[in-house]
Structure formats: C-alpha cells, structure tokens
Amino acid sequence: MLTRRCGVLGDPIAHSLSPALHRAAYAELGLDWTYDAHRVGSGDLGEFLSGLGGEWRGLSLTMPLKREALPLVDRLTDRARLAGAVNTLVLEDDGTRVGDNTDLPGAVAAIRERTSTPLATATILGGGATATSVGLALADLGVRTIVVAVREEARAAETLAALRAHPAAPEVVVSTLGAGPAGSDVVVSTVPASAQTPELVATCADVPVVFDVLYDPWPTPLVAAAADRTVVGGLDLLVHQAVLQVELFTGRTVAVDVLREAGERALAARSAG
C-alpha cells in the first residue's frame, strides 16, 4: 500500500509545531503516514507543487504562501475564497488541488473553547493573512465592530476588504497600532512579541478577552499582563485548525487533546534544549 505523505511549507519553517501535531494524530489513528516540514520561500510554491508525486495527500501552508497559493489551486472552498488565503491544500487522487482555510473555523473553535461570553466589538493588532482569518471568525461569532490596528493602512488592504465582504457585514474601522482597543470585548494580536511594547500592552489592560496567535515565545508580553482575564493562545488556534486539516487529509477525526498534548511536549522539549 502506498504510504501517504503530507507536510507543512513556509519560510521560515524550522519552528513549526505542525509535524509534531500531525504525526501524533496519525499515530493515534493507526496510519503509517509521514508529515515533514519543507522550507519553501515566496515565489517557489508552484515549482514545489509541480514536483509532487501521487503519494502526496495534503499540505499545510504558512507564511509567505497562504495568498500565493490562491491561483495555484483548481478549486477553492468558500471560506478560503472569503479569507483570500489558503492554509490547507488537499491533493486529491485525480490530481485536483483543493484550497481550504482551516484557520477560520479553527479560530472559532479556539475562542469558544475558552469563553462563551457574547462578543460585540474587537480590535485586531496587525493586518496580515492570520488577522483576516481570525477577523472573519469573529464576524462568524457575532462581532459587529472590528477595529484593525496597523502601522500602514495600505498593507492591510486585502484584510480590510475580506472583513467588509463577510455576509454579516460588520463595521470595519482602521486604527493606528498603539492607539488602544478602547471598549473592545476582545483584542487579537497577530504581531510579533517584540512589537508588544509596554505602551501597547498598557492600552489593552481593560480588554476582557486576549487572543494572541503566537505560541512561541510564550507567554507574550500581552498575555503575561492578562492576569485573570480570558486568554486564547496560538497553540489553541494551531491545534483546532490542525484537527480540521487531519480530517480533510484522512477523512477521520482525532481528539483535539491528542494534538494539544503533542504540541505541549514539543514546546517543553524545545524550551529544555
């Protein structure tokens, strides 16, 4: 029987926890599948895809490839089209490439795992592909006003357009990074830990729900200051979206805790090393 191959692509990629998560899932399911990290930089995705054989089943895509994949697939799911980004590429047996986005439903699941409180207003720090997916997830959850805080509005144009195109038609407002999420029910950080200055962190002090998409380093300055507030972490997002990827690749379901425990072990080993 043909051993199926899957993997995660991006640049940089050495830090990715995806191999640990997917390998744990395949082991739990009793599948003799492989999953490895491959460094693929901007502009190189097409060449990588053209060299794949029939044993390949699925790919996880991270930066800078999520938007680069759009014209390289044969079919886009509705959520990938809405997000304008592909983080999951399913390679069907007939050669069809299906582009999907599990970040969006993964973010919904991650938020709902940590809080059931209704959310009406949100501030997102940063305006890249991950900001788009989490912003769309917030709109799915009923958030009516989304403030996108960025250094340069032009660099967030695709994100702003995607959020405004959501069927729920949330109000989307642009703000400057550092202006502060006054009155927001949730703040989502998609910026590096190094950009979380004391001044920026202070502006988020009164926000009841903090969602930081990072998982390493952890805790980030924003999370460290959250005290007893509700925190949603990057590992939460990663494991929930990975469970959905496993389902798309294998057709089978695995418990989210299997992946979370694998991720925690990998992060602990990384820290110890």
Side-chain angles (χ1 to χ4, degrees):
M1 181 178 293
L2 186 68
T3 297
R4 289 292 198 175
R5 296 184 66 184
C6 299
V8 58
L9 315 181
D11 186 18
I13 200 62
H15 69 288
S16 177
L17 285 183
S18 291
L21 303 187
H22 280 258
R23 290 169 184 170
Y26 302 156
E28 179 73 11
L29 295 171
L31 296 174
D32 184 24
W33 287 30
T34 66
Y35 188 104
D36 298 299
H38 302 266
R39 184 179 177 186
V40 178
S42 178
D44 295 333
L45 180 58
E47 181 180 358
F48 184 91
L49 294 178
S50 66
L52 299 182
E55 74 277 15
W56 285 85
R57 174 58 180 166
L59 298 171
S60 310
L61 304 181
T62 186
M63 297 305 294
L65 306 176
K66 291 183 179 182
R67 287 175 173 151
E68 184 174 322
L70 290 169
L72 300 176
V73 302
D74 300 302
R75 188 169 75 248
L76 281 174
T77 63
D78 290 342
R79 58 195 181 197
R81 184 177 293 105
L82 182 63
V86 171
N87 84 319
T88 306
L89 212 165
V90 181
L91 306 169
E92 298 188 344
D93 289 339
D94 63 0
T96 300
R97 301 171 183 170
V98 181
D100 204 342
N101 189 308
T102 61
D103 281 336
L104 203 168
V108 170
I111 293 168
R112 277 295 167 246
E113 181 184 25
R114 300 299 180 186
T115 179
S116 59
T117 301
L119 305 172
T121 60
T123 295
I124 301 175
L125 309 179
T130 302
T132 303
S133 297
V134 178
L136 292 170
L138 291 168
D140 281 351
L141 288 168
V143 171
R144 298 188 297 273
T145 301
I146 302 174
V147 178
V148 181
V150 290
R151 290 191 175 90
E152 300 175 35
E153 181 175 344
R155 296 180 64 179
E158 291 173 302
T159 293
L160 297 172
L163 297 182
R164 287 168 177 152
H166 190 281
E171 178 186 14
V172 181
V173 181
V174 183
S175 177
T176 57
L177 195 62
S184 289
D185 297 317
V186 54
V187 59
V188 178
S189 176
T190 68
V191 301
S194 59
Q196 297 178 13
T197 63
E199 294 77 17
L200 178 61
V201 170
T203 66
C204 304
D206 296 326
V207 182
V209 179
V210 174
F211 185 171
D212 197 317
V213 304
L214 297 178
Y215 56 80
D216 188 16
W218 190 265
T220 62
L222 188 63
V223 169
D228 58 352
R229 289 177 285 159
T230 298
V231 171
V232 185
L235 186 59
D236 296 326
L237 172 59
L238 187 65
V239 298
H240 278 287
Q241 68 81 29
V243 163
L244 296 171
Q245 287 185 333
V246 170
E247 291 179 359
L248 289 170
F249 296 166
T250 71
R252 297 172 62 184
T253 301
V254 65
V256 68
D257 283 345
V258 171
L259 279 70
R260 177 176 282 117
E261 290 167 6
E264 290 172 345
R265 287 194 300 270
L267 286 171
R270 185 180 300 179
S271 177

